[in-house]
Amino acid sequence: MQGFPKRVAENILPLSVAGTLPAAFREWYFTGQTVDHELPHETCRLCDQEGLRYHFKIQNSQTGNQLDVGSECILKFQVAIFDRGRELTAQEARTALAERVRLMRLESCLRALERLALAESNDILSNALKYYKLHKALTPKFANVVFWRLQANAIDHDPSFFKVRLDKESYVADLRVMPTRSVHRIWKALTSPQRKKAQELGHAAPTE
Ligand SMILES: [Zn+2]
């Protein structure tokens, strides 16, 4: 059992048929189910690591037992991930789990926007929500109002999870005339090329 932390063995062996590692791991697979706990307060049930925001559910194919674990443990212990019956390679598994996190971030933004639209009866905010559902991104103007009001209402959100569109001339024009303090408010949601664009339009980067 060398190479495997004692706590990992203690957590997984009682739920498996095989009595040793790594054999027991071959009975397990990722079910495709994930949970976003919103705050990094959860524990990996395999390695006991704390500070997790996302749980990934794994299941034993023989006993049916389940465990909520971190994505790093799935990769580290090579828990199988299947896509339409085919087991993914290590590289594919990493990409697939990263994609799951991307989707959970998208959903987290959506929940924050829905909470905000409920907290304040305001046409701009309900239109921003509609726009986000359609485009999976915000315009610079929507982002400015949304981040301002999310902060004002103390609604938990991560600005870097949002995306901002600058692919139309009107959006670039809006960004140009925006007060620089507003540009700074949406800065974390901008990509590197978008930040460069903002600077070309005359907005200094925020000093941190
Ligand atoms: Zn773990």
Side-chain angles (χ1 to χ4, degrees):
M1 242 189 277
Q2 53 275 66
F4 294 100
K6 191 160 166 276
R7 60 186 175 278
V8 169
E10 284 171 356
N11 283 333
I12 200 157
L13 290 181
L15 304 175
S16 308
V17 174
T20 56
L21 295 178
F25 273 116
R26 289 198 279 276
E27 301 167 10
W28 291 78
Y29 65 96
F30 171 47
T31 66
Q33 291 160 283
T34 52
V35 185
D36 178 357
H37 294 283
E38 305 270 344
L39 292 170
H41 287 168
E42 285 299 319
T43 305
C44 174
R45 305 298 173 198
L46 199 49
C47 69
D48 295 342
Q49 189 200 318
E50 296 177 337
L52 299 185
R53 170 169 175 155
Y54 306 111
H55 263 156
F56 295 74
K57 200 174 283 297
I58 62 171
Q59 182 163 331
N60 186 299
S61 56
Q62 300 186 41
T63 63
N65 288 316
Q66 295 188 331
L67 277 177
D68 285 325
V69 306
S71 60
E72 278 309 308
C73 267
I74 292 184
L75 297 172
K76 194 187 331 176
F77 300 117
Q78 296 168 340
V79 175
I81 302 180
F82 292 98
D83 182 19
R84 277 158 285 182
R86 184 179 68 87
E87 186 173 349
L88 301 185
T89 65
Q91 186 52 50
E92 288 170 338
R94 186 170 290 280
T95 305
L97 293 181
E99 173 63 10
R100 293 305 296 255
V101 172
R102 192 188 70 80
L103 286 176
M104 283 192 277
R105 288 177 169 183
L106 195 72
E107 282 158 18
S108 156
C109 293
L110 200 53
R111 285 196 300 275
L113 286 172
E114 280 169 344
R115 236 172 272 162
L116 182 58
L118 279 177
E120 289 189 26
S121 173
N122 174 328
D123 282 348
I124 297 176
L125 297 177
S126 41
N127 287 334
L129 173 61
K130 268 185 227 155
Y131 188 92
Y132 186 82
K133 280 183 176 168
L134 193 59
H135 299 285
K136 315 280 186 261
L138 294 169
T139 68
K141 276 174 148 179
F142 275 146
N144 180 36
V145 177
V146 160
F147 292 159
W148 171 39
R149 299 319 299 162
L150 282 172
Q151 278 164 20
N153 286 282
I155 294 173
D156 184 49
H157 68 289
D158 188 331
S160 67
F161 289 2
F162 285 88
K163 285 183 170 49
V164 173
R165 289 183 68 182
L166 277 187
D167 56 339
K168 283 190 181 173
E169 274 181 37
S170 63
Y171 301 153
V172 176
D174 289 342
L175 189 69
R176 185 196 308 272
V177 299
M178 198 177 263
T180 293
R181 66 170 189 283
S182 300
V183 177
H184 289 176
R185 186 181 282 136
I186 70 169
W187 195 261
K188 281 187 179 153
L190 300 179
T191 62
S192 300
Q194 289 177 330
R195 291 175 182 181
K196 206 161 154 248
K197 184 76 189 171
Q199 286 170 294
E200 285 166 15
L201 295 172
H203 300 295
T207 51
E208 289 191 87

